[in-house]
Amino acid sequence: MKSTISWLTVTLFLGFMAATSVYAADPKGVEIPGNIPQTGDEVLAKKDAEVLRGKLIKIQDGLYTVETGPGQQVSVRAGASTKFEGNNKGSEGDWIEAVATPDMHLESLKKSTPAYTVEGSILKVEGDLVVVKDDKGKEIRLQTGGGTKLSGSHKVGERIKAEYTPEGQALSIKPAKIQRGPEGG
């Protein structure tokens, strides 16, 4: 009986060791210095990636701070997998267009024409003027025109995402994605 228990204990121990070594060899969830850790379904993350446009305010230790609108800043982290167009990693003061995942990691970065991004609810539509209230309560006046890319309807109360020049000329207006997190689900 003692022999059987000893063999059973040894077998369980070896099974446990084999299972933990296989699990430890699985790269999912393991953070490798300099790389962006895997955060789940990569296909879904790419599908939900957002384009940010704005002025590059600060770069420090791979953290890029972008002014996405007057007085509004967003920080995104670059990693080993970030693609920089023309190998240009940007300089403070550059106007950039960046693709960022929902967890605020940079997928790509390139220089852009001067433009900001705003997401918010439409307060007013009057001719070529659209007034948007952003998530912080600030009202932004956008002038639309022949060069504005419009998709979807734009009625008072609808949530939109718009790109616009520092002078307020709308470059594009489209429906915003459903907000995630504590306020949006």
Side-chain angles (χ1 to χ4, degrees), residues 130-144:
V130 177
V131 180
V132 179
K133 186 174 185 178
D134 71 8
D135 295 332
K136 294 183 180 176
K138 184 175 181 183
E139 292 183 17
I140 295 118
R141 301 169 60 87
L142 303 174
Q143 185 69 40
T144 62

Side-chain angles (χ1 to χ4, degrees), residues 41-50 102 107 177:
D41 186 352
E42 292 178 18
V43 173
L44 183 61
K46 287 184 181 186
K47 181 180 174 189
D48 287 340
E50 293 284 335
E107 284 187 358
K177 292 183 179 180

Side-chain angles (χ1 to χ4, degrees), residues 45-46 49 77 81-84 99-101 105-109:
K46 287 184 181 186
R77 181 152 311 274
S81 63
T82 303
K83 295 177 184 151
F84 295 98
V99 176
T101 62
H105 284 94
L106 275 175
E107 284 187 358
S108 64
L109 183 134

Side-chain angles (χ1 to χ4, degrees), residues 101-122:
T101 62
D103 57 356
M104 302 311 284
H105 284 94
L106 275 175
E107 284 187 358
S108 64
L109 183 134
K110 65 181 179 181
K111 282 192 174 187
S112 171
T113 58
Y116 292 123
T117 305
V118 64
E119 190 168 325
S121 299
I122 296 177

